[in-house]
Amino acid sequence: MSPIAVTSPNEPLRNLKQCAAAATPGLSTETCDALSFQGRVRAMIFGGAFGDALGAVIEKMTHQEIKDMYGKVTHLDVPWWRETQDAVRRKGRVRGRGIITDDTLMTICLMSVYCTEERHLDAWDVARGIIREVVWTPRYIPEMQRETMLQERLWYAEKWLFMRHQMTNCDPRQGGIGNQVNCGAAMYIAPIGAVNAGNPRAAYSEAIHFASAHQESYGLEAAGVLAAAVAAAFVPGTTVDDIVEVAIAVAHDGTKAAIVAIVEAARAMIGAPYDDVVVKFHEVIAKYSYTGDDIDYTIDKAGVPSQAYRPSRFNSIEELPLAFGFAITNKGEFYGSIIDGVNSGRDTDSIGVMIGCFLGPLHGASVIEKQHLDMLNSANHFDLLSNADAFGKVARKIQAEDEEEIHKVLQARKQLA
């Protein structure tokens, strides 16, 4: 990653490599206890990146289209379905063979903000930290095959951050108001779950406060619920069912209803043929999601309203419930869950990211296969384990400070009459 060129009024911002050098001198990036906090952080970052790269190859294809072209995508070394299209239709991008999307790059940006601030984050850290990372920090963008600002690559709902926080200087807590309601904030929220490992409600609260600068309605809710699920996944002995129960416990409105509905369907279909599972899941989620199979934005859709622009308490982004569903039908198996999730079609990279981010810490670093890690590092010009270790060290520091604060609170309460 390139050094950050912009400085704050008080101190230089530090990227993850600088943070790693300062915080973890001599730390090996080759070995660690697979089920230690460090090992679980590594698995979370790897899981998200693997799901992202695997799903990016087939994003926006239907389940049937994926079957017709690929059979089933099961590994990273495959070509993108748009690869033979002209550059205009591809928006000048390349994918396939391990290339990740902005979902993983935004996750790395969030980890970098944590490494800079070394504390819990809120909406102001989007307005300051994420904006500096996205708009003013050059980095290698794999899909564009060059170094530039991440802002140039982002989807429109994420470009909204620049418009709201830099161009209009809004109250950071109101930054998400008016944005397209989508899963954009949820896609990079996993580090908040790691910082709050073992405390899902705290993860939910921090994620909601932070992501209110980015999303609203059920798009914001998805970020909070996923952060809670990740926090739960770090607890030793946790199962997929435990993670799902935590998600249901913290969720509200359509998000809660959609998760419950998909989970019920998933538990009834364990062992069923995969195609039948996909059909059933899409049938169930249709009540809560406007998406459907046609998720390309075309000229014919200009000016046509949808549920995405009419937030309702009965709506939910579909990626999060589906991620839980495929984890259940695969009984929590890491690779099987991700593979089934992305091959179901539609917003495939997002589904893959979500599954990887909560199943990674559940299993720990033992799920990291060298061939996949090497391809991800090579294709994207980064070092996932170094990034994970730098962030994990800072997360531990924040957790230690939390424990001190909790002790003070308990001592104060003991003195109350």
Side-chain angles (χ1 to χ4, degrees):
M1 294 176 61
S2 301
I4 292 177
V6 178
T7 60
S8 73
N10 300 315
E11 63 177 356
L13 290 171
R14 293 175 295 168
N15 67 14
L16 284 165
K17 286 185 177 179
Q18 293 170 322
C19 182
T24 58
L27 180 62
S28 169
T29 60
E30 296 300 323
T31 60
C32 72
D33 181 350
L35 291 176
S36 66
F37 179 76
Q38 177 189 346
R40 293 178 192 270
V41 169
R42 287 182 173 188
M44 178 189 75
I45 302 306
F46 168 81
F50 176 81
D52 187 14
L54 194 72
V57 172
I58 49 180
E59 184 189 15
K60 295 191 176 180
M61 298 181 76
T62 68
H63 173 59
Q64 187 61 50
E65 288 170 341
I66 295 168
K67 285 180 62 179
D68 292 344
M69 180 172 286
Y70 294 93
K72 197 170 189 179
V73 175
T74 61
H75 58 89
L76 295 178
D77 193 14
V78 295
W80 186 23
W81 72 281
R82 292 186 183 271
E83 192 171 90
T84 59
Q85 295 178 355
D86 62 66
V88 174
R89 291 193 68 188
R90 291 187 286 106
K91 300 180 181 178
R93 299 174 191 167
V94 298
R95 286 186 180 181
R97 302 176 181 86
I99 290 177
I100 50 88
T101 75
D102 55 331
D103 293 346
T104 298
L105 293 176
M106 287 289 286
T107 302
I108 291 173
C109 287
L110 176 52
M111 293 193 298
S112 186
V113 173
Y114 268 119
C115 285
T116 298
E117 302 299 335
E118 298 188 348
R119 56 167 172 76
H120 289 290
L121 304 181
D122 56 31
W124 279 265
D125 293 302
V126 175
R128 176 183 179 275
I130 293 295
I131 288 299
R132 289 172 183 257
E133 288 281 338
V134 167
V135 179
W136 300 105
T137 305
R139 68 186 72 239
Y140 183 74
I141 310 298
E143 291 173 283
M144 305 177 80
Q145 297 287 287
R146 59 187 171 87
E147 186 175 277
T148 186
M149 307 302 177
L150 179 53
Q151 172 75 358
E152 188 176 343
R153 160 58 186 87
L154 293 180
W155 175 247
Y156 300 103
E158 282 59 70
K159 291 180 186 293
W160 180 261
L161 295 172
F162 172 71
M163 295 301 296
R164 289 289 280 160
H165 297 292
Q166 178 117 36
M167 298 302 290
T168 66
N169 299 109
C170 69
D171 179 334
R173 293 166 296 188
Q174 298 178 350
I177 297 174
N179 197 359
Q180 175 195 11
V181 180
N182 76 348
C183 65
M187 301 325 305
Y188 66 102
I189 210 71
I192 291 181
V195 168
N196 292 281
N199 193 343
R201 290 196 176 275
Y204 175 90
S205 295
E206 183 170 344
I208 292 293
H209 194 347
F210 175 85
S212 66
H214 182 168
Q215 266 294 322
E216 64 171 337
S217 187
Y218 53 95
L220 176 59
E221 181 69 7
V225 174
L226 182 58
V230 172
F234 273 85
V235 178
T238 294
T239 66
V240 170
D241 285 335
D242 295 331
I243 293 172
V244 168
E245 291 308 313
V246 163
I248 293 171
V250 301
H252 299 85
D253 298 330
T255 301
K256 186 188 196 81
I259 294 172
V260 169
I262 287 290
V263 167
E264 288 179 352
R267 287 172 176 163
M269 299 199 72
I270 294 175
Y274 174 60
D275 287 356
D276 292 349
V277 172
V278 174
V279 170
K280 181 62 176 178
F281 280 6
H282 285 173
E283 175 187 310
V284 172
I285 202 65
K287 179 180 177 181
Y288 307 95
S289 171
Y290 73 94
T291 303
D293 277 338
D294 183 10
I295 63 174
D296 256 336
Y297 286 83
T298 64
I299 191 171
D300 296 331
K301 296 180 181 179
V304 178
S306 74
Q307 293 181 46
Y309 304 100
R310 296 198 305 268
S312 162
R313 64 172 301 184
F314 300 109
N315 291 340
S316 170
I317 65 160
E318 69 174 44
E319 297 87 347
L320 183 59
L322 292 176
F324 289 135
F326 286 113
I328 289 172
T329 56
N330 282 275
K331 300 180 180 179
E333 200 276 318
F334 180 79
Y335 286 103
S337 300
I338 295 175
I339 289 169
D340 276 4
V342 303
N343 281 276
S344 66
R346 304 179 180 176
D347 193 3
T348 52
D349 58 326
S350 300
I351 296 171
V353 168
M354 291 183 181
I355 297 173
C357 282
F358 67 77
L359 286 188
L362 178 71
H363 292 286
S366 62
V367 300
I368 303 175
E369 294 188 3
K370 188 176 186 300
Q371 60 174 328
H372 300 315
L373 179 64
D374 289 347
M375 180 169 284
L376 288 168
N377 284 337
S378 175
N380 301 294
H381 296 196
F382 56 31
D383 184 337
L384 275 181
L385 296 191
S386 290
N387 287 345
D389 289 345
F391 163 70
K393 189 76 173 182
V394 171
R396 277 312 230 181
K397 176 180 181 293
I398 297 170
Q399 290 166 5
E401 292 171 352
D402 285 348
E403 291 172 8
E404 292 180 7
E405 186 65 25
I406 290 171
H407 177 72
K408 291 178 182 178
V409 170
L410 294 175
Q411 290 298 109
R413 287 178 179 174
K414 285 181 181 179
Q415 299 176 40
L416 293 174

